[in-house]
Amino acid sequence: SNNTTNLPSIDTFFSSTSSSKYTISNPLQQLYNQYQTKSYKLDAISTESKRISQKEDMGVELTEGQRNQLTKNQDKLTALETSLKGLKDKIEEGMHVAIYGKPLNRQFQRSKGDGYDRDGDDIDDVDDFFDRTTTTRQRDNDQGEEVESEASLIEKWKVLLQSYSKQQTIVASTTKQCDNLQNQ
């Protein structure tokens, strides 16, 4: 899609320097983790296939097991590439929301509401995911709330700690009363 040209690379976006500039939602972080895991798998399987193929290139006859492994690897690579493309699209959509506060304008048209894009991925999953993340952000902004600062978070944390301490005192005294009642 042409709209992704003004986005940083996925790895750049999720690097520590860049991620401090933007709010990365948990679902978006999970998509990135899946993307990384599948990328590592793809690299590992590619490397294994290259090693097996190099033997053949050097004139060594491959065993049946090695040929079967190459076929299995090719199937896995195809599946991983398809999956990675879908994840990449979803991540870029999330990056666009995080950076610009709105989803990408999709370049393709839905074909009569079949719920799938041209690559066969379920559009509704992506829409639901970004509707949830966008709606929360818009609702918060509509209420005029400021973005949390370190100072405001520390203040909230102190209040929670005091509240927790009071609750612990109450629990301890209630437990003591229960023990006294049981011992009577």
Side-chain angles (χ1 to χ4, degrees):
S1 40
N2 301 337
N3 272 349
T4 58
T5 53
N6 54 356
L7 290 177
S9 77
I10 290 176
D11 290 326
T12 302
F13 179 80
F14 284 91
S15 71
S16 56
T17 49
S18 181
S19 64
S20 60
K21 286 191 238 172
Y22 308 111
T23 303
I24 298 176
S25 66
N26 280 342
L28 183 57
Q29 185 64 52
Q30 288 169 353
L31 284 175
Y32 178 65
N33 295 347
Q34 287 175 20
Y35 180 83
Q36 278 190 308
T37 301
K38 289 186 182 201
S39 294
Y40 293 138
K41 280 183 186 174
L42 185 93
D43 291 343
I45 293 170
S46 292
T47 302
E48 181 187 23
S49 291
K50 281 180 192 149
R51 286 192 189 128
I52 295 172
S53 296
Q54 281 174 345
K55 290 179 182 177
E56 195 174 35
D57 294 342
M58 295 187 309
V60 177
E61 178 93 21
L62 294 183
T63 65
E64 189 179 339
Q66 289 170 325
R67 278 195 295 278
N68 288 342
Q69 191 60 44
L70 274 177
T71 305
K72 280 184 194 170
N73 285 357
Q74 193 51 53
D75 293 344
K76 287 179 186 173
L77 288 173
T78 303
L80 280 170
E81 285 167 355
T82 303
S83 181
L84 279 168
K85 186 190 179 317
L87 282 170
K88 182 175 186 269
D89 290 347
K90 289 178 184 180
I91 291 169
E92 286 177 344
E93 183 83 29
M95 288 167 44
H96 199 276
V97 169
I99 295 170
Y100 301 106
K102 63 183 182 204
L104 277 165
N105 294 325
R106 292 203 176 83
Q107 295 298 311
F108 56 86
Q109 294 295 316
R110 289 189 194 189
S111 52
K112 295 189 179 160
D114 64 359
Y116 294 91
D117 67 15
R118 59 169 185 245
D119 299 318
D121 292 329
D122 189 351
I123 290 174
D124 295 332
D125 286 351
V126 181
D127 287 346
D128 291 347
F129 168 74
F130 290 107
D131 287 348
R132 284 195 307 275
T133 56
T134 304
T135 305
T136 304
R137 184 174 289 114
Q138 287 170 340
R139 184 177 61 239
D140 290 349
N141 289 345
D142 289 346
Q143 292 174 355
E145 292 179 21
E146 292 298 310
V147 175
E148 294 281 3
S149 68
E150 185 178 2
S152 69
L153 288 172
I154 289 172
E155 196 52 45
K156 280 185 177 179
W157 181 62
K158 286 178 181 174
V159 169
L160 284 171
L161 278 179
Q162 288 173 345
S163 166
Y164 177 76
S165 176
K166 288 176 190 171
Q167 288 172 351
Q168 288 303 100
T169 307
I170 293 169
V171 168
S173 83
T174 306
T175 305
K176 196 172 185 180
Q177 286 177 342
C178 287
D179 289 345
N180 288 339
L181 287 172
Q182 282 181 334
N183 292 336
Q184 285 181 355

